[in-house]
Amino acid sequence: MRDCQILRVFTRGEEGGNHLGVVTDLSGLSGTAMQAIAAELGFSETVFLDCTGPVPMARIFTPAAEVPFAGHPLVGAGWVLGTMGPWRRVACGIGEVPFRAEKDGAWIEVPASRDVEEAPTAAAAGAGLGGAAGGWMVRLPLRYLLLEMPSPAVVGAASPDFERLAGESWEGTLLFARSAGTVKARFFAPALGVAEDPATGSAAVALASALAFAGEKEGSLVIDQGDEVNAPSRISVWWSGGMVTVGGTVRRDEVRALGR
């Protein structure tokens, strides 16, 4: 039997955040077993950390699939690793990712995506997500469709057709609206087993990449997400010189014994 740390990443104060399972004892665990644990926990992602090498290796699983990169698992992993040893990098499917961990939170730094293109605003209209003022497709390497909506109220009122979204050619859809330095966002990834994600660090990277592509070469934003799924969350993101930093607060709720 092994333990799993249950965190909430990107909390808004002491509330909300995106739940994350972190497993550091991988003895005898196959990829199939990791996927089964992630499905049983049912969080947006669970991260498995192999700390036997000089740079810890993270494998990240949604309830339905392994993914090469995701923000809140790496922020949570960085926070846990900061309590365990002197590490300052964690490896994943996109390479080594620098992180900074503090008592109440953690931050990761990754290159902005250069694979950004404008997308027709009607791309997701058939899934109930019409009315966008602008759109981009960003590869991280998973493909995200970003749709800028007219107002935060429109983002909050969106009612997507999850079955239709699951069949699209991209893996995740971010709706967002900017208002005085704050972004109201929602993220949907039914193809990955996540209908609506409470807080999506990778989507924050995608948004910074898209804004840089559109001419905002540096900047910072606070992203509020998760209210519609009763998990109010807050992500801080800033970008400059082709790099994006994403982070926020982390809370540990419990250490749970797994049955595997």
Side-chain angles (χ1 to χ4, degrees), residues 185-201:
R186 296 175 69 186
F187 185 80
F188 312 107
L192 299 175
V194 182
E196 181 165 357
D197 197 26
T200 317

Side-chain angles (χ1 to χ4, degrees), residues 6-257:
I6 308 299
L7 311 182
R8 288 178 293 120
V9 180
F10 300 134
T11 64
R12 199 181 302 169
E14 296 298 321
E15 302 300 319
N18 197 352
H19 278 98
L20 175 71
V22 182
V23 180
T24 57
D25 175 8
L26 306 191
S27 55
L29 269 188
S30 65
T32 300
M34 293 179 193
Q35 183 65 76
I37 290 171
E40 289 169 5
L41 289 173
F43 302 145
S44 295
E45 283 106 1
T46 299
V47 61
F48 298 83
L49 294 174
D50 181 351
C51 301
T52 58
V55 177
M57 178 68 191
R59 294 184 66 179
I60 304 166
F61 291 81
T62 76
E66 184 173 8
V67 296
F69 169 72
H72 105 278
L74 291 177
V75 170
W79 186 83
V80 169
L81 290 170
T83 69
M84 295 173 59
W87 296 295
R88 293 296 178 266
R89 291 177 176 269
V90 59
C92 66
I94 65 167
E96 293 186 7
V97 175
F99 68 84
R100 175 168 57 91
E102 297 181 354
K103 178 181 178 181
D104 293 327
W107 293 261
I108 60 171
E109 184 180 58
V110 297
S113 173
R114 296 185 178 181
D115 192 346
V116 181
E117 60 184 12
E118 292 186 6
T121 57
L129 300 177
W136 297 274
M137 192 70 73
V138 182
R139 186 184 294 274
L140 282 176
L142 298 182
R143 298 180 76 216
Y144 290 172
L145 175 65
L146 280 56
L147 296 173
E148 184 169 11
M149 308 306 282
S151 70
V154 173
V155 173
S159 181
D161 180 335
F162 292 114
E163 184 176 354
R164 177 72 176 267
L165 277 183
E168 295 289 359
S169 61
W170 58 89
E171 286 80 16
T173 304
L174 177 74
L175 301 189
F176 73 97
R178 301 172 72 174
S179 176
T182 299
V183 171
K184 164 74 173 177
R186 296 175 69 186
F187 185 80
F188 312 107
L192 299 175
V194 182
E196 181 165 357
D197 197 26
T200 317
S202 57
V205 175
L207 179 55
S209 301
L211 294 175
F213 170 82
E216 297 183 40
K217 299 303 182 183
E218 60 181 38
S220 63
L221 292 170
V222 173
I223 301 174
D224 282 347
Q225 191 179 336
D227 295 280
E228 289 73 21
V229 290
N230 298 313
S233 304
R234 179 161 290 163
I235 304 169
S236 295
V237 56
W238 54 99
W239 65 97
S240 178
M243 300 299 293
V244 182
T245 300
V246 172
T249 52
V250 179
R251 298 290 183 265
R252 178 163 47 206
D253 282 348
E254 62 173 304
V255 177
R256 185 181 303 177

